[in-house]
Amino acid sequence: MGELSKVGFMISAITEVRVRYQETDQMGVVYHGNYFTWFESARIELLDQLEYPYQELEKGGFLLPVLTCEARFIKPAKFDDRLQVTALINTSPLARIEIFYEVRRNEELLAKGATSHAFVNEEGKLIKPPRDFLDKANKHFIDSPED
Amino acid sequence: MGELSKVGFMISAITEVRVRYQETDQMGVVYHGNYFTWFESARIELLDQLEYPYQELEKGGFLLPVLTCEARFIKPAKFDDRLQVTALINTSPLARIEIFYEVRRNEELLAKGATSHAFVNEEGKLIKPPRDFLDKANKHFIDSPED
Amino acid sequence: MGELSKVGFMISAITEVRVRYQETDQMGVVYHGNYFTWFESARIELLDQLEYPYQELEKGGFLLPVLTCEARFIKPAKFDDRLQVTALINTSPLARIEIFYEVRRNEELLAKGATSHAFVNEEGKLIKPPRDFLDKANKHFIDSPED
Amino acid sequence: MGELSKVGFMISAITEVRVRYQETDQMGVVYHGNYFTWFESARIELLDQLEYPYQELEKGGFLLPVLTCEARFIKPAKFDDRLQVTALINTSPLARIEIFYEVRRNEELLAKGATSHAFVNEEGKLIKPPRDFLDKANKHFIDSPED
């Protein structure tokens, strides 16, 4: 589920989540599928930090659906927990964007995950990312010393 | 929450629901907000029985958002329960449509509810119901004997 | 749906919600059932302000299920909206607790709602509220001048 | 995401899902996280076919939380679609159970997925599967000819 240390490119964002009763199940912990909603919150925050809010993408006719998603659950999140959800991109986004996630309750790592995405138009056809999106993303690309 | 016995007009539909683990919460019962999703399933079934599937409404540019909704919970629904959800309209639909619901586990009444709806266009403006929708609905209107 | 102005007792809490993509539906607005989850968030905040977090209630063997719930939708909430959700109690809680809600997007009122609750034990039997809960709640009861 | 053809052991179950409006998002398709709820429905059906309903597991003090989950989305599912969701186990379950999923709309494959699970007790500690669960599962194990 990804090494976060690739040199050269890195952007991340953290969002705080307070666990809702609705998100629990009768096992007394958060239902696994709900972590993907938290990943979404962190991903939206990440796009905000790229100065390219998801809303603007959609207004421009670009959608960014999920192609694959995965999660690994280490310790359960519980009702009323205050969690920190991190989203991180460590490779320059091209046709495909890969994002990695961690869910923490302070020091404790509760879950890890990943999603991959591609840009599509409103008819669902794969398209190139918007030019200014790449420009904004690439500001976060740090040339390696030997360049 | 409505008397279902008004003379003259009546249409109802039943849908079967098997309770999902995801729908439970840590109280060990179904989270209250999820009943509205079951009401939706029964409402969709009701429109099918009117021979006016909700899909066709939307394709024709008609949306039917929820204006009000309410529920009263009598006994809790539990994981893996097989439930019968009834939706019922007892007044000829005009600008506003009122629908009543019951959730049963065989003989037991678990919950009652109601929603009201109006037709809006894609910009969210109130509009008249489609002509053929009213025609189809009014086939279920039975003239009372004294008429 | 309740007048909030009864003299003598009043406690309220506001929670901020940022609308999740997951909470939208294909109408492009928030699915109606999800407002009840936001009401829950405001209710949890309200109990925090009463210095009686819901968690403590449950640890003490007291559950507070929803008996009835209702909502009226005035304007739709949309993806990425920042909303203010208010919960308010205006009568001293006894066997039954009534809570009123408003959802605002700054100056705009989007929805109103109400829930009622009763204390039950882990077997689901109606029980009296915990003594110290009533004590804490009644600190918010202001004797009217003529008393 | 797994080859389903391992010799010797195989058990599968199919469940029908009719897509709910609540499951869609403003992209006009089903929100990705909701597929995991459908996987759950197929998994519950699979345990029924093993003659070991999940309810009985929990009543016996055995929980079967999700350790990992993943999905790959090929074509979007849409409101009101009638889908066939398959769950399949192809290795004899031991401490860890791996389950594979497919979501189809008749001939079209919409998504594939997998979950892994372990038995834990009510305190969340890893425990061995119940003896009779293994017995029931192993009835589905077919000795290969060369044994």
Side-chain angles (χ1 to χ4, degrees):
Chain A
M1 242 180 252
E3 275 317 301
L4 309 183
S5 53
K6 271 191 194 164
V7 181
F9 186 87
M10 175 82 83
I11 177 164
S12 70
I14 296 187
T15 193
E16 290 276 329
V17 166
R18 185 178 184 184
V19 177
R20 300 168 174 185
Y21 205 87
Q22 185 270 329
E23 295 172 324
T24 63
D25 65 24
Q26 74 175 40
M27 223 178 269
V29 300
V30 171
Y31 187 77
H32 63 289
N34 293 327
Y35 286 71
F36 293 101
T37 303
W38 300 343
F39 293 172
E40 176 217 303
S41 295
R43 186 164 65 246
I44 294 301
E45 192 71 37
L46 188 69
L47 289 168
D48 284 356
Q49 293 208 5
L50 275 172
E51 290 164 66
Y52 217 100
Y54 185 71
Q55 292 250 63
E56 279 185 38
L57 277 174
E58 285 207 353
K59 276 177 195 154
F62 293 88
L63 304 175
L64 199 53
V66 176
L67 303 182
T68 65
C69 67
E70 60 184 273
R72 182 158 61 86
F73 305 101
I74 298 152
K75 286 183 184 182
K78 301 204 167 178
F79 167 62
D80 218 24
D81 280 349
R82 318 289 174 118
L83 306 176
Q84 301 81 44
V85 186
T86 307
L88 181 148
I89 300 180
N90 61 16
T91 50
S92 187
L94 294 166
R96 195 183 173 100
I97 300 178
E98 279 205 274
I99 311 182
F100 300 96
Y101 306 89
E102 286 183 354
V103 178
R104 290 180 178 277
R105 185 171 50 212
N106 307 317
E107 290 74 40
E108 294 178 284
L109 177 63
L110 303 190
K112 299 187 75 167
T115 59
S116 65
H117 305 260
F119 287 97
V120 303
N121 63 16
E122 282 157 1
E123 286 74 45
K125 269 192 73 126
L126 282 173
I127 51 175
K128 284 191 197 167
R131 185 68 239 162
D132 54 343
F133 173 82
L134 290 180
D135 289 346
K136 283 180 176 174
N138 282 324
K139 285 198 285 182
H140 296 268
F141 186 85
I142 287 104
D143 291 318
S144 54
E146 60 272 35
D147 279 353
Chain B
M1 243 181 247
E3 276 316 302
L4 309 182
S5 53
K6 271 190 194 165
V7 181
F9 186 87
M10 175 82 86
I11 177 164
S12 70
I14 295 187
T15 192
E16 290 277 328
V17 166
R18 185 178 183 183
V19 178
R20 301 167 173 185
Y21 206 87
Q22 184 270 329
E23 294 172 322
T24 63
D25 64 24
Q26 74 176 39
M27 223 177 269
V29 299
V30 172
Y31 187 77
H32 63 288
N34 293 329
Y35 286 70
F36 293 101
T37 303
W38 300 342
F39 293 172
E40 176 216 304
S41 295
R43 187 165 63 245
I44 294 301
E45 193 69 39
L46 187 69
L47 289 168
D48 285 356
Q49 293 207 4
L50 275 172
E51 289 163 67
Y52 217 101
Y54 186 70
Q55 291 252 61
E56 278 185 39
L57 277 175
E58 285 209 350
K59 276 176 195 155
F62 293 87
L63 304 176
L64 200 52
V66 176
L67 303 181
T68 65
C69 67
E70 60 184 273
R72 182 157 62 86
F73 306 102
I74 297 153
K75 286 184 183 179
K78 301 204 167 177
F79 168 61
D80 218 24
D81 279 350
R82 318 289 174 117
L83 306 175
Q84 301 81 44
V85 186
T86 306
L88 181 148
I89 301 181
N90 62 16
T91 49
S92 187
L94 294 166
R96 195 181 175 103
I97 300 179
E98 279 205 274
I99 311 181
F100 300 95
Y101 306 90
E102 286 184 351
V103 179
R104 291 180 178 277
R105 185 172 49 214
N106 308 317
E107 290 74 40
E108 294 177 285
L109 177 63
L110 303 190
K112 299 187 75 167
T115 58
S116 65
H117 306 259
F119 287 96
V120 303
N121 63 17
E122 281 156 2
E123 286 74 44
K125 269 191 75 124
L126 282 173
I127 50 174
K128 285 191 197 166
R131 185 67 238 163
D132 55 342
F133 173 81
L134 291 181
D135 288 346
K136 283 181 176 173
N138 284 323
K139 285 198 284 182
H140 296 269
F141 185 86
I142 289 104
D143 292 316
S144 54
E146 59 272 37
D147 279 354
Chain C
M1 242 179 249
E3 276 316 301
L4 310 183
S5 53
K6 270 190 195 166
V7 181
F9 186 87
M10 176 81 87
I11 177 163
S12 70
I14 295 187
T15 192
E16 290 276 330
V17 165
R18 185 178 184 183
V19 177
R20 301 168 173 184
Y21 206 87
Q22 185 270 327
E23 294 171 324
T24 64
D25 63 25
Q26 77 177 38
M27 223 178 270
V29 299
V30 171
Y31 187 77
H32 63 287
N34 294 328
Y35 287 71
F36 293 101
T37 304
W38 300 343
F39 293 172
E40 176 216 303
S41 295
R43 186 165 64 244
I44 295 300
E45 193 70 37
L46 188 70
L47 288 169
D48 285 356
Q49 292 206 7
L50 276 171
E51 290 164 67
Y52 216 101
Y54 186 71
Q55 292 251 60
E56 278 184 40
L57 277 175
E58 284 208 351
K59 276 178 194 153
F62 293 87
L63 305 175
L64 199 53
V66 176
L67 302 183
T68 66
C69 67
E70 61 183 272
R72 182 157 62 86
F73 305 102
I74 298 153
K75 288 184 181 179
K78 301 203 167 179
F79 167 62
D80 218 25
D81 279 350
R82 318 290 174 117
L83 306 175
Q84 300 81 44
V85 186
T86 307
L88 181 148
I89 300 179
N90 61 14
T91 49
S92 187
L94 294 166
R96 195 181 173 103
I97 300 179
E98 279 205 274
I99 311 182
F100 301 95
Y101 306 89
E102 286 184 353
V103 178
R104 292 180 176 275
R105 184 171 51 213
N106 307 317
E107 290 74 38
E108 294 178 285
L109 178 62
L110 304 189
K112 299 187 75 167
T115 59
S116 66
H117 306 259
F119 287 97
V120 304
N121 64 15
E122 282 157 1
E123 285 75 43
K125 270 191 74 124
L126 283 173
I127 51 174
K128 285 190 196 167
R131 186 66 239 164
D132 52 343
F133 173 82
L134 291 180
D135 290 345
K136 283 180 176 174
N138 283 322
K139 284 197 286 181
H140 296 268
F141 185 86
I142 288 102
D143 291 316
S144 54
E146 59 271 38
D147 281 355
Chain D
M1 243 180 249
E3 276 317 301
L4 309 183
S5 53
K6 270 189 195 167
V7 180
F9 186 86
M10 175 83 84
I11 177 165
S12 69
I14 296 188
T15 192
E16 291 275 330
V17 166
R18 185 178 184 184
V19 177
R20 300 168 174 185
Y21 206 88
Q22 184 270 329
E23 294 172 323
T24 63
D25 64 24
Q26 75 175 40
M27 223 177 269
V29 299
V30 171
Y31 188 77
H32 63 288
N34 294 328
Y35 286 72
F36 293 101
T37 304
W38 300 343
F39 293 172
E40 175 216 305
S41 295
R43 185 164 66 244
I44 294 301
E45 192 69 39
L46 187 70
L47 288 168
D48 284 356
Q49 293 207 5
L50 274 172
E51 289 163 69
Y52 217 102
Y54 186 70
Q55 291 250 63
E56 277 184 40
L57 276 174
E58 285 209 351
K59 275 177 196 154
F62 293 87
L63 304 175
L64 199 54
V66 176
L67 303 181
T68 65
C69 67
E70 61 184 273
R72 182 157 62 86
F73 306 101
I74 297 152
K75 288 183 181 180
K78 301 205 167 176
F79 168 62
D80 218 24
D81 280 350
R82 317 290 174 118
L83 306 175
Q84 301 81 45
V85 186
T86 307
L88 181 148
I89 301 181
N90 61 16
T91 49
S92 186
L94 294 167
R96 195 180 174 104
I97 300 179
E98 279 205 274
I99 311 182
F100 300 96
Y101 306 90
E102 285 184 352
V103 179
R104 293 180 177 275
R105 185 172 49 215
N106 307 316
E107 291 73 39
E108 295 178 284
L109 178 63
L110 303 190
K112 299 188 73 166
T115 58
S116 65
H117 305 259
F119 287 97
V120 304
N121 64 16
E122 282 156 0
E123 285 74 44
K125 269 193 75 129
L126 283 172
I127 51 174
K128 284 191 196 166
R131 186 65 239 164
D132 54 343
F133 173 82
L134 291 180
D135 289 345
K136 284 179 177 176
N138 283 323
K139 285 197 286 180
H140 297 267
F141 185 87
I142 288 105
D143 291 317
S144 55
E146 59 271 37
D147 279 354

